[in-house]
Amino acid sequence: MSGELSPIDKAKFVAAKRASDLVEDGMRVGLGTGSTAAWLVRCLGERVREEGLRFRGVPTSTRTAELAREVGITVISLDEARWLDVTIDGADEFDGNFNLIKGGGGALLQEKIVATASDQMVVIADAAKRVEHLGAFPLPVEVIPFGWPTTQALIEEMLVSMDVMGRNSTLRMTGDAPYVTDEGNHILDLHLGRIGDPRQLSLVLNQIPGVVENGLFVDICDTVIVGFGDGRIELRDINTGETENERLDFVENENMFADLGDWKRD
């Protein structure tokens, strides 16, 4: 497998592999959406098959639910689980305070609900996702379809008073049609360049009529597991302030990740 993966894919894999070790029998686990989260689901499926691991997964999208069932993970809804032991998910960006931008894969609403319904949230990412300031990655904002141009105008007007570098926004598209989330909403991607105060921006965005939720995750993430292309892994815990460094040796595998080509982000 190591010969078939790019350095970024290797980094995502080692982070996901390390995070999969955190799951124990009987846990209720939130399963994120995106390319890195898909590696996690595959790694957990391997543990289910080879070790007999038994846990229940709460997916954050229909795509993740389908993949989890495919690899043998027991899938339940958040309504059934009510509360989770841990959620493990990717991120489009994270800063030194563990603030995140998420939603590149289009599932930010379910991802935020599931993450906040957990005892802890673990983020898995390649090293390129670590930034000094959030905002280089477009900030997704989920909005209802009704009157979305008005919502967009209100957002751009509000951004004039925010500590950001840019104020442009675009409606996310799928071909010639607007992208539709699992909840039937649209996504506006805000091209901000730099976000000076993620907490303030998140609070103000969610007060705008038509906005359902935004992709800023503030005070939600507890641990970040960063993978590197050479197999190194860095674990950072915001609660203890500790950082651990490990290394994972690559082992050839029967191409268990060959069908992940559609999982582009996070």
Side-chain angles (χ1 to χ4, degrees):
M1 179 174 62
S2 60
E4 301 174 1
L5 299 179
S6 69
I8 289 180
D9 283 336
K10 291 178 185 178
K12 292 179 178 182
F13 168 69
V14 296
K17 183 70 171 176
R18 180 61 181 84
S20 71
D21 293 337
L22 301 176
V23 177
E24 302 175 357
D25 277 324
M27 277 189 169
R28 293 161 294 180
V29 181
L31 303 173
T33 295
S35 61
T36 313
W39 295 91
L40 169 76
V41 173
R42 286 292 190 183
C43 289
L44 287 171
E46 189 174 41
R47 289 194 61 197
V48 168
R49 293 189 303 272
E50 297 187 0
E51 303 173 22
L53 176 68
R54 292 292 178 265
F55 71 97
R56 291 173 291 172
V58 176
T60 55
S61 68
T62 54
R63 285 175 293 158
T64 296
E66 290 169 359
L67 181 60
R69 292 189 180 98
E70 178 185 320
V71 300
I73 295 173
T74 299
V75 172
I76 61 173
S77 68
L78 184 59
D79 291 347
E80 295 173 278
R82 299 185 66 83
W83 196 259
L84 307 178
D85 296 288
V86 62
T87 288
I88 306 174
D89 203 350
D92 296 302
E93 286 184 344
F94 69 92
D95 66 15
N97 294 317
F98 290 22
N99 298 315
L100 319 172
I101 286 183
K102 289 183 52 56
L108 67 96
L109 178 56
Q110 289 191 22
E111 288 174 333
K112 188 173 282 191
I113 292 172
V114 170
T116 54
S118 306
D119 286 338
Q120 61 173 325
M121 181 190 188
V122 176
V123 162
I124 49 179
D126 60 272
K129 302 297 177 58
R130 179 163 44 196
V131 297
E132 185 174 354
H133 298 285
L134 299 179
F137 190 92
L139 173 64
V141 178
E142 187 158 340
V143 300
I144 65 170
F146 176 80
W148 72 261
T150 300
T151 303
Q152 181 181 31
L154 290 171
I155 290 173
E156 292 183 350
E157 181 180 359
M158 174 274 297
L159 289 173
V160 174
S161 61
M162 293 291 105
D163 184 9
V164 297
M165 290 181 62
R167 299 197 301 271
N168 292 332
S169 64
T170 54
L171 180 67
R172 189 176 297 184
M173 304 292 290
T174 301
D176 296 328
Y179 177 86
V180 179
T181 69
D182 281 354
E183 291 74 34
N185 298 316
H186 295 334
I187 289 181
L188 294 172
D189 289 310
L190 311 188
H191 304 276
L192 306 178
R194 177 185 179 277
I195 300 172
D197 190 336
R199 184 189 308 276
Q200 180 190 35
L201 180 58
S202 179
L203 291 172
V204 175
L205 275 170
N206 283 2
Q207 293 176 0
I208 295 175
V211 171
V212 180
E213 188 53 84
N214 69 82
L216 286 168
F217 284 49
V218 179
D219 295 335
I220 296 176
C221 175
D222 299 283
T223 302
V224 174
I225 301 178
V226 182
F228 296 83
D230 61 0
R232 288 182 295 124
I233 306 164
E234 180 183 279
L235 292 84
R236 300 178 59 204
D237 188 314
I238 197 171
N239 299 308
T240 65
E242 296 179 352
T243 299
E244 301 178 13
N245 293 281
E246 302 175 8
R247 182 180 293 274
L248 176 67
D249 293 327
F250 290 101
V251 178
E252 292 298 327
N253 189 290
E254 57 272 14
N255 205 18
M256 62 187 281
F257 304 115
D259 57 349
L260 297 184
D262 293 335
W263 299 74
K264 300 297 185 184
R265 296 182 176 179
D266 289 53

